[in-house]
Amino acid sequence: MSDQIKIWLFYLIILSFINQSHQTVDVEVRAYIEGYNDRARQLSNEYSLVSWDYYTNITGHNQNKMTALSLKWSEFAKNESEKAKIYNISALTDGNLARQLNMILDVGISGYDDSEVLEKIANIGAEMTKIYSEAKWCKTETNCLPLDPDLTDLITNSRDYEELKDAWKGWRDASGAQMRSLYQEYVQLMNQAIKAEGKYADMGDYYRSWYEDPDFETDVRELFEELSPLYDNLHAYVRRKLQSQYGAGKFPSEGHIPAHLFGNMWAQQWGNIYDILEPYPGKGMESLTDEMINQKYNVTHMFRLAEDFFVSLGTDHLPESFWRLSMLEKPSDGRNVVCHASAWDFQNGTDFRIKQCTTITQEQLQTVYHEVGHVIYYMEYINQPYLFRGGANPGFHEGVADIVSLSFQTPEHLQKIGLLDELPTGNEGDINFLFNMALDKVAFLPFGYLIDQWRWSVYRGETTHVDYNKAWWDLRCRYQGISPPVERSENDFDPGAKYHIPGNTPYIRYFVSFVLQFQWHQALCEIAEHTGPLHRCDIYNSRAAGDRLREMLQMGSSRQWGDALYALTRGTAAESRKMSAKPLIEYFKPLQEWLEIQNQGERVGWDKASCPSWHTSSAPRKFSIWQIASVLAACILISLTF
Ligand SMILES: *[C@@H]1O[C@H](CO)[C@@H](O)[C@H](O)[C@H]1NC(C)=O
Ligand SMILES: *[C@@H]1O[C@H](CO)[C@@H](O)[C@H](O)[C@H]1NC(C)=O
Ligand SMILES: *[C@@H]1O[C@H](CO)[C@@H](O)[C@H](O)[C@H]1NC(C)=O
Ligand SMILES: *[C@@H]1O[C@H](CO)[C@@H](O)[C@H](O)[C@H]1NC(C)=O
Ligand SMILES: *[C@@H]1O[C@H](CO)[C@@H](O)[C@H](O)[C@H]1NC(C)=O
Ligand SMILES: [Zn+2]
């Protein structure tokens, strides 16, 4: 043999050896990951079951059971990431395996060595959730109101400036203010645990990494800025209407609006005060609540309606156990429960549940569609391995939960289900409809954006406990154009009066979801061959749209979310893999034009540099609440409403 040939042969042997060793790595890793998915699924099932017990029956005993499981999960995650480290990811040929291996390696704070710190984090988290869930505002010595349903009803229905103010303040005194020092310690411990891993700068950095997009922060800022003019116009119109409702002396006509007047405890969505704001009184858009009560709606019927919508798109029915095991109403046996609505995946293939203290209102009906949407997503990606059972990014889960709401609220659909007699005709009915939608979908945008602006800044250390509340109000004033109705100080902790702060649920997902749902809606309406304006499109019964939607849902988190987005929107390549504000803007275009005319000669906007009547004051109060409790880690899939 010539030397040349010898060298070639040598190469060939080496090549085939490398190839084989690659495949061997794949085989080994595949076996390991299958085992992992099985173990993780089982543990997650166990953990979900005890968490459910706690969330539907808050007792010390149930807390302890949950703590034990949360620590077991941390230990499990850490053990597995140690095992996973022996494999050489770059040697894998199957990208699916590499993606899963990376997920196993990325254990978040569970990787931290000091289990005492992890236990403390779990305990503080549960303690804060408990404070929030048990908080009551005592209107008089004997009349104490919990958030659900009493305070919520009051804020929704009262039009008495002073009463609203007292309730607004009372809730914050009873909830947020009670957990201020706990939160401070929580942040410090979480950062300590995540930084030790050496991969993330702080907890906010870790949460952002879930979006697999290095430009994520910039992208959401640009989307927000693109959407701001629409919000500012809505704000100016609402400000004028609220002034005529409550009297011109209550707040300046060119500035911020007091935060307690929006029919919502956090001024995050404004649909509850539609009656005060209605552009053309009496032109369609009666409150559905009255109609639902007239028609003797019950809770089961509300959930059946939502199920029926998804089934019309080609999904399965909710399993029998859903109806048997869910908690669809607030228990009347005096148990303390976490009422904040959530949808649960118990990871055993058939066990999906919703926990909601449902009442017969239009707002609750919307929440019902939302939570059922989560469950449908769980059911659609059931054939994915455990690691890929999740939204393509956290905003996907929320967006999917909402997508049907854009259809079911159209007059066309309400008529189909018998909640509306006549379709509104003419421009006035249309404006009323779009305006009502904007009170939910546009009013929410700055709120959805700012919560994590605050939290990221706290995790970064740019905001410290010395100005927690000031930084919070700076953002609320700048982005939402609202102001506190009573003096605030650093004795208060208003972020803690919103569930997702004590509950430690990242919030930017809701902003992302509000943008995405309009992108999807537009694409699906096109597939459903809808004609006419986007806001009158109802995808009910369109199997073509349903099939395309389900294609995306079934991918779970097996691919970067741009691919999942593309699976639904298709369209022109580069654009359809990115979030876009354009469909939302197009949807509301007739309203935007109408608002601009209404606001002519007015100042649109407010002073974005400062918060009115901000008072700094005394040093924070000290608390020494310490109790053993526990908290959910990221391993169990619960999806919350905003
Ligand atoms: C609530 O949990 C306790 C255990 O702490 C248990 O004894 C009780 O039966 C539970 N209540 C219900 C209604 O499940
Ligand atoms: C973690 O690994 C240790 C040591 O191998 C073992 O004793 C323990 O049972 C494992 N824990 C879990 C939850 O897998
Ligand atoms: C991992 O695999 C890559 C690609 O096959 C190889 O270049 C690298 O040397 C391997 N690393 C280790 C530590 O074996
Ligand atoms: C709830 O409403 C549905 C449909 O209207 C009805 O069939 C069912 O009997 C009602 N259930 C209860 C418990 O009233
Ligand atoms: C899943 O859980 C439900 C409720 O706990 C149970 O009824 C069902 O048998 C379980 N299914 C499997 C496959 O384990
Ligand atoms: Zn949700």
Side-chain angles (χ1 to χ4, degrees), residues 311-325:
V311 169
S312 90
L313 298 177
T315 74
D316 284 342
H317 283 88
L318 296 169
E320 175 275 329
S321 61
F322 170 87
W323 301 101
R324 195 161 34 86
L325 298 170

Side-chain angles (χ1 to χ4, degrees), residues 301-547:
H301 183 55
M302 288 160 76
F303 280 87
R304 287 285 183 200
L305 275 179
E307 178 190 37
D308 172 67
F309 197 114
F310 284 100
V311 169
S312 90
L313 298 177
T315 74
D316 284 342
H317 283 88
L318 296 169
E320 175 275 329
S321 61
F322 170 87
W323 301 101
R324 195 161 34 86
L325 298 170
S326 287
M327 185 194 100
L328 302 182
E329 285 176 87
K330 188 171 181 170
S332 54
D333 57 10
R335 255 183 290 163
N336 268 322
V337 302
V338 179
C339 263
H340 198 102
S342 51
W344 297 55
D345 180 352
F346 286 80
Q347 299 290 350
N348 90 341
T350 57
D351 194 355
F352 309 99
R353 306 181 201 172
I354 286 172
K355 175 182 66 55
Q356 184 177 346
C357 299
T358 319
T359 53
I360 314 297
T361 68
Q362 175 173 358
E363 198 181 8
Q364 287 279 311
L365 182 60
Q366 240 163 287
T367 306
V368 166
Y369 275 84
H370 180 94
E371 299 304 334
V372 170
H374 281 306
V375 171
I376 296 296
Y377 207 168
Y378 299 151
M379 288 167 58
E380 287 293 331
Y381 58 56
I382 194 71
N383 291 326
Q384 293 288 348
Y386 170 83
L387 282 162
F388 289 157
R389 287 186 200 167
N393 75 35
F396 269 58
H397 234 296
E398 295 310 323
V400 166
D402 265 3
I403 189 160
V404 152
S405 79
L406 297 180
S407 284
F408 108 79
Q409 292 185 80
T410 57
E412 282 73 9
H413 192 74
L414 294 177
Q415 194 186 39
K416 276 179 208 153
I417 61 176
L419 280 175
L420 191 71
D421 287 338
E422 276 177 64
L423 294 181
T425 51
N427 187 45
E428 296 184 347
D430 248 15
I431 291 296
N432 274 357
F433 172 76
L434 274 174
F435 183 81
N436 193 36
M437 289 301 283
L439 295 181
D440 270 356
K441 302 292 183 188
V442 178
F444 182 77
L445 295 169
F447 186 78
Y449 180 69
L450 73 83
I451 304 267
D452 278 353
Q453 299 299 317
W454 181 83
R455 190 161 21 204
W456 294 342
S457 138
V458 167
Y459 280 130
R460 276 195 180 111
E462 288 164 3
T463 297
T464 68
H465 69 98
V466 179
D467 55 7
Y468 273 168
N469 217 40
K470 180 179 185 308
W472 174 258
W473 279 105
D474 281 348
L475 292 167
R476 295 266 268 166
C477 293
R478 177 163 5 130
Y479 293 131
Q480 279 187 289
I482 65 171
S483 60
V486 292
E487 191 180 324
R488 307 315 284 157
S489 77
E490 292 302 336
N491 288 330
D492 303 304
F493 184 57
D494 295 327
K498 173 69 194 167
Y499 181 81
H500 301 67
I501 296 298
N504 198 42
T505 310
Y507 210 80
I508 197 70
R509 64 183 57 173
Y510 300 104
F511 177 79
V512 166
S513 103
F514 273 50
V515 171
L516 284 173
Q517 63 190 261
F518 284 91
Q519 259 178 288
W520 296 333
H521 187 60
Q522 188 180 51
L524 294 176
C525 288
E526 210 168 289
I527 297 164
E529 301 183 343
H530 168 75
T531 52
L534 190 53
H535 65 273
R536 299 295 286 267
C537 163
D538 172 18
I539 61 170
Y540 184 77
N541 254 338
S542 168
R543 285 302 291 268
D547 287 348

Side-chain angles (χ1 to χ4, degrees), residues 220-250:
V220 286
R221 192 184 60 238
E222 285 171 4
L223 289 168
F224 177 70
E225 283 165 2
E226 213 176 326
L227 293 164
S228 288
L230 179 54
Y231 178 81
D232 292 357
N233 268 293
L234 181 67
H235 176 277
Y237 175 86
V238 168
R239 179 171 57 196
R240 195 163 62 252
K241 286 278 190 171
L242 285 175
Q243 273 210 323
S244 63
Q245 169 79 20
Y246 290 104
K250 289 287 198 294

Side-chain angles (χ1 to χ4, degrees), residues 179-191:
M179 61 180 79
R180 197 183 154 100
S181 62
L182 285 173
Y183 193 77
Q184 185 187 335
E185 189 173 5
Y186 193 64
V187 168
Q188 186 257 316
L189 293 175
M190 297 266 274
N191 268 343

Side-chain angles (χ1 to χ4, degrees), residues 133-146:
S133 297
E134 295 181 357
K136 287 188 172 75
W137 170 52
C138 292
K139 199 174 177 181
T140 64
E141 228 165 84
T142 51
N143 184 18
C144 294
L145 311 180

Side-chain angles (χ1 to χ4, degrees), residues 26-53:
D26 275 22
V27 168
E28 251 178 69
V29 169
R30 186 168 294 116
Y32 165 69
I33 284 178
E34 272 167 17
Y36 172 91
N37 277 320
D38 231 40
R39 292 189 291 277
R41 202 187 43 71
Q42 264 170 37
L43 186 55
S44 165
N45 174 253
E46 231 180 291
Y47 190 5
S48 309
L49 287 168
V50 297
S51 302
W52 176 267
D53 286 348

